[in-house]
Amino acid sequence: MNSDPGRVIGVFDSGVGGLSVWREIVALLPNEHTIYFADQAHCPYGSRPLHEIRALAEAIVCFLLDQGAKLIVVACNTASTAALYHLRERFDVPIVGMEPAVKPAAQRTASGKVGVMATPATFEGEPFARLMGRFARDVEVIRQVCPGLVERIEAGQLEGPEVEAPLRNCLQPLVDEGVDVLVLGCTHYPFLRPTIEQVIGPGVEVIDPAPAVAQQVRRVLARQGLLNPRQGKGRHVFYTSGSAESFLAMLEKLVGQRGEVRMAK
Ligand code: DGL
């Protein structure tokens, strides 16, 4: 394994959602170079069988390693559920993944009821069952999938009736149940946070794990001696398996960034 700490951090998701994690990594580690891969040709992942998501994730990691990645961030709860264990077995590179933030939610709830919004695949996978067994024994966790939401975010719809209506359908049952903490268990959802907070009301704390993931990236890089010692602003390159033009527009809209976007095969 090439141990040059000046190499890139590779980040991927099914689409633009992982940019909610990418922006935290860049804010925390501004001198690191990154490559972001959006698998928009196969988005959404959340309704696909786990073995299919695993194969897609494996191909993307191969691609990122070919680009010289020194660490991989699976900036997608669904891909982490389907593939994290397998990727760590298969590749000799540090890999940081994601899981719904059930542990901090269980610590913070006063009502004893926690809501988790995630994709069907995330709830279906073994990692979520394990998470529940470890951290949710004394609290009630209410799962909620929100069909169509990822597609709306991919299309750049972050507010207005097209997102408020499905959000209301998805969040009202949680409010009725009395949850006081809501976990965003899909990396697309932080881009809807203002609308989610408005719909769910002030009595519910919303948890986005992205800042904690960025901290974990820093910890792992430091532990392995892979933090980039050079100062200066990192370079960022973006790949999409969909349309480069629409990804570029989303990049500006979601994270206020203009960047180099390339089509991936
Ligand atoms: N952003 C992904 C996640 O965190 C999933 C979106 C999808 O269904 O593709 O789960």
PDB file of all heavy atoms in Angstrom, residues 224-253:
ATOM      1  N   GLN A 224      -3.098   6.332  11.536  1.00  0.00           N
ATOM      2  CA  GLN A 224      -2.316   5.616  10.522  1.00  0.00           C
ATOM      3  C   GLN A 224      -1.199   6.479   9.934  1.00  0.00           C
ATOM      4  O   GLN A 224      -0.571   6.084   8.955  1.00  0.00           O
ATOM      5  CB  GLN A 224      -3.240   5.177   9.384  1.00  0.00           C
ATOM      6  CG  GLN A 224      -4.485   4.483   9.863  1.00  0.00           C
ATOM      7  CD  GLN A 224      -4.561   3.050   9.385  1.00  0.00           C
ATOM      8  OE1 GLN A 224      -3.765   2.619   8.572  1.00  0.00           O
ATOM      9  NE2 GLN A 224      -5.503   2.304   9.903  1.00  0.00           N
ATOM     10  N   GLY A 225      -1.002   7.675  10.501  1.00  0.00           N
ATOM     11  CA  GLY A 225       0.048   8.565   9.977  1.00  0.00           C
ATOM     12  C   GLY A 225      -0.259   9.052   8.580  1.00  0.00           C
ATOM     13  O   GLY A 225       0.643   9.302   7.775  1.00  0.00           O
ATOM     14  N   LEU A 226      -1.541   9.212   8.272  1.00  0.00           N
ATOM     15  CA  LEU A 226      -1.929   9.566   6.896  1.00  0.00           C
ATOM     16  C   LEU A 226      -2.466  10.988   6.752  1.00  0.00           C
ATOM     17  O   LEU A 226      -2.952  11.357   5.681  1.00  0.00           O
ATOM     18  CB  LEU A 226      -2.988   8.569   6.399  1.00  0.00           C
ATOM     19  CG  LEU A 226      -2.485   7.166   6.045  1.00  0.00           C
ATOM     20  CD1 LEU A 226      -3.654   6.236   5.733  1.00  0.00           C
ATOM     21  CD2 LEU A 226      -1.517   7.213   4.869  1.00  0.00           C
ATOM     22  N   LEU A 227      -2.421  11.790   7.830  1.00  0.00           N
ATOM     23  CA  LEU A 227      -2.880  13.188   7.684  1.00  0.00           C
ATOM     24  C   LEU A 227      -1.916  13.910   6.752  1.00  0.00           C
ATOM     25  O   LEU A 227      -0.691  13.752   6.866  1.00  0.00           O
ATOM     26  CB  LEU A 227      -2.915  13.875   9.045  1.00  0.00           C
ATOM     27  CG  LEU A 227      -4.106  13.550   9.941  1.00  0.00           C
ATOM     28  CD1 LEU A 227      -3.857  14.049  11.368  1.00  0.00           C
ATOM     29  CD2 LEU A 227      -5.410  14.135   9.391  1.00  0.00           C
ATOM     30  N   ASN A 228      -2.450  14.704   5.849  1.00  0.00           N
ATOM     31  CA  ASN A 228      -1.596  15.429   4.909  1.00  0.00           C
ATOM     32  C   ASN A 228      -0.802  16.510   5.655  1.00  0.00           C
ATOM     33  O   ASN A 228      -1.398  17.426   6.221  1.00  0.00           O
ATOM     34  CB  ASN A 228      -2.480  16.081   3.821  1.00  0.00           C
ATOM     35  CG  ASN A 228      -1.641  16.696   2.720  1.00  0.00           C
ATOM     36  OD1 ASN A 228      -0.411  16.608   2.745  1.00  0.00           O
ATOM     37  ND2 ASN A 228      -2.304  17.304   1.753  1.00  0.00           N
ATOM     38  N   PRO A 229       0.521  16.429   5.682  1.00  0.00           N
ATOM     39  CA  PRO A 229       1.300  17.415   6.441  1.00  0.00           C
ATOM     40  C   PRO A 229       1.369  18.765   5.732  1.00  0.00           C
ATOM     41  O   PRO A 229       1.710  19.769   6.338  1.00  0.00           O
ATOM     42  CB  PRO A 229       2.690  16.775   6.517  1.00  0.00           C
ATOM     43  CG  PRO A 229       2.766  15.873   5.335  1.00  0.00           C
ATOM     44  CD  PRO A 229       1.365  15.435   5.015  1.00  0.00           C
ATOM     45  N   ARG A 230       1.043  18.776   4.418  1.00  0.00           N
ATOM     46  CA  ARG A 230       1.153  20.043   3.681  1.00  0.00           C
ATOM     47  C   ARG A 230      -0.037  20.932   3.966  1.00  0.00           C
ATOM     48  O   ARG A 230      -1.174  20.467   4.040  1.00  0.00           O
ATOM     49  CB  ARG A 230       1.236  19.780   2.178  1.00  0.00           C
ATOM     50  CG  ARG A 230       2.607  19.229   1.812  1.00  0.00           C
ATOM     51  CD  ARG A 230       2.674  18.781   0.360  1.00  0.00           C
ATOM     52  NE  ARG A 230       3.498  17.577   0.313  1.00  0.00           N
ATOM     53  CZ  ARG A 230       3.140  16.435  -0.239  1.00  0.00           C
ATOM     54  NH1 ARG A 230       1.976  16.315  -0.830  1.00  0.00           N
ATOM     55  NH2 ARG A 230       3.942  15.407  -0.208  1.00  0.00           N
ATOM     56  N   GLN A 231       0.254  22.226   4.133  1.00  0.00           N
ATOM     57  CA  GLN A 231      -0.839  23.176   4.349  1.00  0.00           C
ATOM     58  C   GLN A 231      -1.339  23.649   2.989  1.00  0.00           C
ATOM     59  O   GLN A 231      -0.803  23.278   1.964  1.00  0.00           O
ATOM     60  CB  GLN A 231      -0.351  24.342   5.224  1.00  0.00           C
ATOM     61  CG  GLN A 231      -0.038  23.940   6.659  1.00  0.00           C
ATOM     62  CD  GLN A 231      -1.159  23.109   7.304  1.00  0.00           C
ATOM     63  OE1 GLN A 231      -2.320  23.504   7.283  1.00  0.00           O
ATOM     64  NE2 GLN A 231      -0.813  21.953   7.857  1.00  0.00           N
ATOM     65  N   GLY A 232      -2.339  24.498   3.003  1.00  0.00           N
ATOM     66  CA  GLY A 232      -2.906  24.966   1.725  1.00  0.00           C
ATOM     67  C   GLY A 232      -4.227  24.276   1.480  1.00  0.00           C
ATOM     68  O   GLY A 232      -4.597  23.335   2.188  1.00  0.00           O
ATOM     69  N   LYS A 233      -4.941  24.775   0.491  1.00  0.00           N
ATOM     70  CA  LYS A 233      -6.293  24.289   0.257  1.00  0.00           C
ATOM     71  C   LYS A 233      -6.266  22.982  -0.538  1.00  0.00           C
ATOM     72  O   LYS A 233      -5.530  22.877  -1.508  1.00  0.00           O
ATOM     73  CB  LYS A 233      -7.043  25.362  -0.550  1.00  0.00           C
ATOM     74  CG  LYS A 233      -8.497  25.462  -0.267  1.00  0.00           C
ATOM     75  CD  LYS A 233      -9.011  26.819  -0.759  1.00  0.00           C
ATOM     76  CE  LYS A 233     -10.516  26.883  -0.763  1.00  0.00           C
ATOM     77  NZ  LYS A 233     -11.178  26.019  -1.699  1.00  0.00           N
ATOM     78  N   GLY A 234      -7.043  22.000  -0.096  1.00  0.00           N
ATOM     79  CA  GLY A 234      -7.100  20.725  -0.810  1.00  0.00           C
ATOM     80  C   GLY A 234      -7.766  20.861  -2.180  1.00  0.00           C
ATOM     81  O   GLY A 234      -8.546  21.787  -2.406  1.00  0.00           O
ATOM     82  N   ARG A 235      -7.447  19.923  -3.074  1.00  0.00           N
ATOM     83  CA  ARG A 235      -8.089  19.870  -4.405  1.00  0.00           C
ATOM     84  C   ARG A 235      -9.242  18.876  -4.338  1.00  0.00           C
ATOM     85  O   ARG A 235      -9.117  17.836  -3.682  1.00  0.00           O
ATOM     86  CB  ARG A 235      -7.109  19.336  -5.451  1.00  0.00           C
ATOM     87  CG  ARG A 235      -6.222  20.364  -6.110  1.00  0.00           C
ATOM     88  CD  ARG A 235      -5.467  19.717  -7.290  1.00  0.00           C
ATOM     89  NE  ARG A 235      -5.035  18.346  -7.028  1.00  0.00           N
ATOM     90  CZ  ARG A 235      -3.921  18.024  -6.380  1.00  0.00           C
ATOM     91  NH1 ARG A 235      -3.128  18.959  -5.925  1.00  0.00           N
ATOM     92  NH2 ARG A 235      -3.598  16.748  -6.190  1.00  0.00           N
ATOM     93  N   HIS A 236     -10.304  19.180  -5.025  1.00  0.00           N
ATOM     94  CA  HIS A 236     -11.463  18.293  -4.983  1.00  0.00           C
ATOM     95  C   HIS A 236     -11.940  17.968  -6.396  1.00  0.00           C
ATOM     96  O   HIS A 236     -12.162  18.875  -7.196  1.00  0.00           O
ATOM     97  CB  HIS A 236     -12.599  18.943  -4.187  1.00  0.00           C
ATOM     98  CG  HIS A 236     -12.140  19.410  -2.837  1.00  0.00           C
ATOM     99  ND1 HIS A 236     -11.701  18.543  -1.865  1.00  0.00           N
ATOM    100  CD2 HIS A 236     -11.981  20.657  -2.329  1.00  0.00           C
ATOM    101  CE1 HIS A 236     -11.326  19.225  -0.798  1.00  0.00           C
ATOM    102  NE2 HIS A 236     -11.479  20.511  -1.058  1.00  0.00           N
ATOM    103  N   VAL A 237     -12.075  16.698  -6.668  1.00  0.00           N
ATOM    104  CA  VAL A 237     -12.559  16.266  -7.976  1.00  0.00           C
ATOM    105  C   VAL A 237     -13.801  15.404  -7.743  1.00  0.00           C
ATOM    106  O   VAL A 237     -13.851  14.618  -6.787  1.00  0.00           O
ATOM    107  CB  VAL A 237     -11.472  15.454  -8.720  1.00  0.00           C
ATOM    108  CG1 VAL A 237     -11.980  14.985 -10.076  1.00  0.00           C
ATOM    109  CG2 VAL A 237     -10.217  16.292  -8.897  1.00  0.00           C
ATOM    110  N   PHE A 238     -14.776  15.570  -8.607  1.00  0.00           N
ATOM    111  CA  PHE A 238     -16.047  14.864  -8.439  1.00  0.00           C
ATOM    112  C   PHE A 238     -16.306  13.995  -9.666  1.00  0.00           C
ATOM    113  O   PHE A 238     -16.095  14.440 -10.803  1.00  0.00           O
ATOM    114  CB  PHE A 238     -17.189  15.875  -8.280  1.00  0.00           C
ATOM    115  CG  PHE A 238     -16.980  16.784  -7.099  1.00  0.00           C
ATOM    116  CD1 PHE A 238     -16.233  17.962  -7.240  1.00  0.00           C
ATOM    117  CD2 PHE A 238     -17.476  16.464  -5.851  1.00  0.00           C
ATOM    118  CE1 PHE A 238     -16.000  18.794  -6.153  1.00  0.00           C
ATOM    119  CE2 PHE A 238     -17.253  17.296  -4.756  1.00  0.00           C
ATOM    120  CZ  PHE A 238     -16.509  18.457  -4.911  1.00  0.00           C
ATOM    121  N   TYR A 239     -16.737  12.782  -9.428  1.00  0.00           N
ATOM    122  CA  TYR A 239     -17.126  11.882 -10.513  1.00  0.00           C
ATOM    123  C   TYR A 239     -18.587  11.514 -10.336  1.00  0.00           C
ATOM    124  O   TYR A 239     -19.045  11.321  -9.201  1.00  0.00           O
ATOM    125  CB  TYR A 239     -16.317  10.586 -10.466  1.00  0.00           C
ATOM    126  CG  TYR A 239     -14.902  10.728 -10.966  1.00  0.00           C
ATOM    127  CD1 TYR A 239     -13.887  11.137 -10.111  1.00  0.00           C
ATOM    128  CD2 TYR A 239     -14.591  10.451 -12.300  1.00  0.00           C
ATOM    129  CE1 TYR A 239     -12.586  11.272 -10.569  1.00  0.00           C
ATOM    130  CE2 TYR A 239     -13.285  10.579 -12.759  1.00  0.00           C
ATOM    131  CZ  TYR A 239     -12.285  10.987 -11.900  1.00  0.00           C
ATOM    132  OH  TYR A 239     -11.004  11.120 -12.354  1.00  0.00           O
ATOM    133  N   THR A 240     -19.275  11.391 -11.458  1.00  0.00           N
ATOM    134  CA  THR A 240     -20.631  10.852 -11.388  1.00  0.00           C
ATOM    135  C   THR A 240     -20.817   9.824 -12.499  1.00  0.00           C
ATOM    136  O   THR A 240     -20.256   9.992 -13.588  1.00  0.00           O
ATOM    137  CB  THR A 240     -21.719  11.948 -11.508  1.00  0.00           C
ATOM    138  OG1 THR A 240     -23.009  11.303 -11.535  1.00  0.00           O
ATOM    139  CG2 THR A 240     -21.562  12.813 -12.748  1.00  0.00           C
ATOM    140  N   SER A 241     -21.599   8.786 -12.199  1.00  0.00           N
ATOM    141  CA  SER A 241     -21.945   7.834 -13.246  1.00  0.00           C
ATOM    142  C   SER A 241     -23.198   8.319 -13.978  1.00  0.00           C
ATOM    143  O   SER A 241     -23.686   7.673 -14.889  1.00  0.00           O
ATOM    144  CB  SER A 241     -22.175   6.439 -12.644  1.00  0.00           C
ATOM    145  OG  SER A 241     -23.171   6.501 -11.640  1.00  0.00           O
ATOM    146  N   GLY A 242     -23.729   9.486 -13.578  1.00  0.00           N
ATOM    147  CA  GLY A 242     -24.884  10.092 -14.258  1.00  0.00           C
ATOM    148  C   GLY A 242     -24.434  11.276 -15.101  1.00  0.00           C
ATOM    149  O   GLY A 242     -23.401  11.213 -15.759  1.00  0.00           O
ATOM    150  N   SER A 243     -25.194  12.369 -15.005  1.00  0.00           N
ATOM    151  CA  SER A 243     -24.874  13.534 -15.829  1.00  0.00           C
ATOM    152  C   SER A 243     -23.975  14.517 -15.069  1.00  0.00           C
ATOM    153  O   SER A 243     -24.317  14.988 -13.995  1.00  0.00           O
ATOM    154  CB  SER A 243     -26.184  14.228 -16.239  1.00  0.00           C
ATOM    155  OG  SER A 243     -25.979  15.619 -16.361  1.00  0.00           O
ATOM    156  N   ALA A 244     -22.824  14.833 -15.687  1.00  0.00           N
ATOM    157  CA  ALA A 244     -21.870  15.744 -15.049  1.00  0.00           C
ATOM    158  C   ALA A 244     -22.484  17.136 -14.901  1.00  0.00           C
ATOM    159  O   ALA A 244     -22.290  17.819 -13.889  1.00  0.00           O
ATOM    160  CB  ALA A 244     -20.583  15.813 -15.872  1.00  0.00           C
ATOM    161  N   GLU A 245     -23.259  17.521 -15.889  1.00  0.00           N
ATOM    162  CA  GLU A 245     -23.855  18.854 -15.874  1.00  0.00           C
ATOM    163  C   GLU A 245     -24.817  19.029 -14.693  1.00  0.00           C
ATOM    164  O   GLU A 245     -24.768  20.015 -13.969  1.00  0.00           O
ATOM    165  CB  GLU A 245     -24.620  19.026 -17.180  1.00  0.00           C
ATOM    166  CG  GLU A 245     -24.754  20.442 -17.651  1.00  0.00           C
ATOM    167  CD  GLU A 245     -25.485  20.431 -18.991  1.00  0.00           C
ATOM    168  OE1 GLU A 245     -24.993  19.714 -19.913  1.00  0.00           O
ATOM    169  OE2 GLU A 245     -26.541  21.059 -19.072  1.00  0.00           O
ATOM    170  N   SER A 246     -25.690  18.034 -14.497  1.00  0.00           N
ATOM    171  CA  SER A 246     -26.643  18.212 -13.404  1.00  0.00           C
ATOM    172  C   SER A 246     -25.951  18.022 -12.044  1.00  0.00           C
ATOM    173  O   SER A 246     -26.335  18.657 -11.064  1.00  0.00           O
ATOM    174  CB  SER A 246     -27.885  17.333 -13.551  1.00  0.00           C
ATOM    175  OG  SER A 246     -27.525  15.997 -13.585  1.00  0.00           O
ATOM    176  N   PHE A 247     -24.903  17.200 -11.999  1.00  0.00           N
ATOM    177  CA  PHE A 247     -24.183  17.084 -10.726  1.00  0.00           C
ATOM    178  C   PHE A 247     -23.542  18.422 -10.359  1.00  0.00           C
ATOM    179  O   PHE A 247     -23.581  18.856  -9.200  1.00  0.00           O
ATOM    180  CB  PHE A 247     -23.106  15.989 -10.774  1.00  0.00           C
ATOM    181  CG  PHE A 247     -22.468  15.754  -9.430  1.00  0.00           C
ATOM    182  CD1 PHE A 247     -23.042  14.876  -8.515  1.00  0.00           C
ATOM    183  CD2 PHE A 247     -21.334  16.454  -9.040  1.00  0.00           C
ATOM    184  CE1 PHE A 247     -22.487  14.695  -7.252  1.00  0.00           C
ATOM    185  CE2 PHE A 247     -20.768  16.274  -7.788  1.00  0.00           C
ATOM    186  CZ  PHE A 247     -21.349  15.389  -6.891  1.00  0.00           C
ATOM    187  N   LEU A 248     -22.972  19.092 -11.366  1.00  0.00           N
ATOM    188  CA  LEU A 248     -22.333  20.382 -11.125  1.00  0.00           C
ATOM    189  C   LEU A 248     -23.339  21.388 -10.546  1.00  0.00           C
ATOM    190  O   LEU A 248     -23.040  22.117  -9.593  1.00  0.00           O
ATOM    191  CB  LEU A 248     -21.738  20.899 -12.441  1.00  0.00           C
ATOM    192  CG  LEU A 248     -20.917  22.173 -12.367  1.00  0.00           C
ATOM    193  CD1 LEU A 248     -19.694  21.972 -11.471  1.00  0.00           C
ATOM    194  CD2 LEU A 248     -20.458  22.588 -13.770  1.00  0.00           C
ATOM    195  N   ALA A 249     -24.535  21.380 -11.124  1.00  0.00           N
ATOM    196  CA  ALA A 249     -25.575  22.294 -10.633  1.00  0.00           C
ATOM    197  C   ALA A 249     -25.928  21.968  -9.184  1.00  0.00           C
ATOM    198  O   ALA A 249     -26.102  22.857  -8.340  1.00  0.00           O
ATOM    199  CB  ALA A 249     -26.811  22.201 -11.522  1.00  0.00           C
ATOM    200  N   MET A 250     -25.996  20.669  -8.863  1.00  0.00           N
ATOM    201  CA  MET A 250     -26.333  20.257  -7.500  1.00  0.00           C
ATOM    202  C   MET A 250     -25.221  20.595  -6.510  1.00  0.00           C
ATOM    203  O   MET A 250     -25.477  20.920  -5.355  1.00  0.00           O
ATOM    204  CB  MET A 250     -26.626  18.757  -7.454  1.00  0.00           C
ATOM    205  CG  MET A 250     -27.949  18.386  -8.066  1.00  0.00           C
ATOM    206  SD  MET A 250     -29.313  19.261  -7.277  1.00  0.00           S
ATOM    207  CE  MET A 250     -29.440  18.347  -5.763  1.00  0.00           C
ATOM    208  N   LEU A 251     -24.007  20.511  -6.997  1.00  0.00           N
ATOM    209  CA  LEU A 251     -22.854  20.827  -6.150  1.00  0.00           C
ATOM    210  C   LEU A 251     -22.954  22.284  -5.669  1.00  0.00           C
ATOM    211  O   LEU A 251     -22.750  22.590  -4.501  1.00  0.00           O
ATOM    212  CB  LEU A 251     -21.600  20.629  -7.003  1.00  0.00           C
ATOM    213  CG  LEU A 251     -20.257  20.463  -6.343  1.00  0.00           C
ATOM    214  CD1 LEU A 251     -20.278  19.328  -5.355  1.00  0.00           C
ATOM    215  CD2 LEU A 251     -19.197  20.186  -7.425  1.00  0.00           C
ATOM    216  N   GLU A 252     -23.300  23.135  -6.587  1.00  0.00           N
ATOM    217  CA  GLU A 252     -23.444  24.555  -6.227  1.00  0.00           C
ATOM    218  C   GLU A 252     -24.635  24.760  -5.307  1.00  0.00           C
ATOM    219  O   GLU A 252     -24.554  25.475  -4.318  1.00  0.00           O
ATOM    220  CB  GLU A 252     -23.658  25.384  -7.492  1.00  0.00           C
ATOM    221  CG  GLU A 252     -22.378  25.644  -8.214  1.00  0.00           C
ATOM    222  CD  GLU A 252     -22.468  26.920  -9.043  1.00  0.00           C
ATOM    223  OE1 GLU A 252     -22.483  28.019  -8.441  1.00  0.00           O
ATOM    224  OE2 GLU A 252     -22.533  26.787 -10.260  1.00  0.00           O
ATOM    225  N   LYS A 253     -25.721  24.090  -5.635  1.00  0.00           N
ATOM    226  CA  LYS A 253     -26.943  24.274  -4.861  1.00  0.00           C
ATOM    227  C   LYS A 253     -26.794  23.736  -3.430  1.00  0.00           C
ATOM    228  O   LYS A 253     -27.209  24.373  -2.467  1.00  0.00           O
ATOM    229  CB  LYS A 253     -28.089  23.557  -5.579  1.00  0.00           C
ATOM    230  CG  LYS A 253     -29.403  23.685  -4.872  1.00  0.00           C
ATOM    231  CD  LYS A 253     -30.538  23.232  -5.754  1.00  0.00           C
ATOM    232  CE  LYS A 253     -31.827  23.556  -5.017  1.00  0.00           C
ATOM    233  NZ  LYS A 253     -32.918  23.929  -5.861  1.00  0.00           N
TER     234      LYS A 253
END
